[in-house]
Amino acid sequence: MAFILSAQRDGASGGWYERYMEYLAENRGRFPPGAYALATSTWYFGFNDPRGPHDAWLEEVTISEPATGERRENRAAFSTTTSHQTTR
């Protein structure tokens, strides 16, 4: 279930963030530890912390899927992003 960019939030009079945090807490075991830490952090969603993505500019995204093996059947996908963080 998605909350941040979904109909559960659009037009809601309030409480969507609290419901989102409850969802994360109830499903904590389903997330990798780093993903959970980011999703529940106050700095990531806060508009007053310069570490938040709201001030970042995405400069580049690279997605690659190198292959190995006789038929190139062994594959792994990688993504790399480059962004510029503004300073205040």
Side-chain angles (χ1 to χ4, degrees), residues 32-55:
Y36 182 80
L38 178 64
T40 58
S41 66
T42 56
W43 66 265
Y44 188 80
F45 293 105
F47 292 108
N48 295 321
D49 194 313
R51 296 175 294 168
H54 60 277
D55 284 335

Side-chain angles (χ1 to χ4, degrees), residues 1-69:
M1 178 174 282
F3 283 89
I4 299 288
L5 299 175
S6 69
Q8 287 97 345
R9 184 195 63 128
D10 295 339
S13 60
W16 66 268
Y17 186 74
E18 290 77 14
R19 289 191 305 276
Y20 173 67
M21 296 308 279
E22 289 172 11
Y23 169 80
L24 291 174
E26 291 169 3
N27 293 279
R28 182 177 188 159
R30 299 178 67 191
F31 298 102
Y36 182 80
L38 178 64
T40 58
S41 66
T42 56
W43 66 265
Y44 188 80
F45 293 105
F47 292 108
N48 295 321
D49 194 313
R51 296 175 294 168
H54 60 277
D55 284 335
W57 294 6
L58 179 63
E59 294 180 350
E60 181 179 354
V61 174
T62 304
I63 300 173
S64 63
E65 188 180 26
T68 60

Side-chain angles (χ1 to χ4, degrees), residues 69-80:
E70 184 178 322
R71 297 179 300 118
R72 302 184 61 78
E73 71 277 12
N74 301 318
R75 296 178 173 269
F78 299 94
S79 65
T80 305

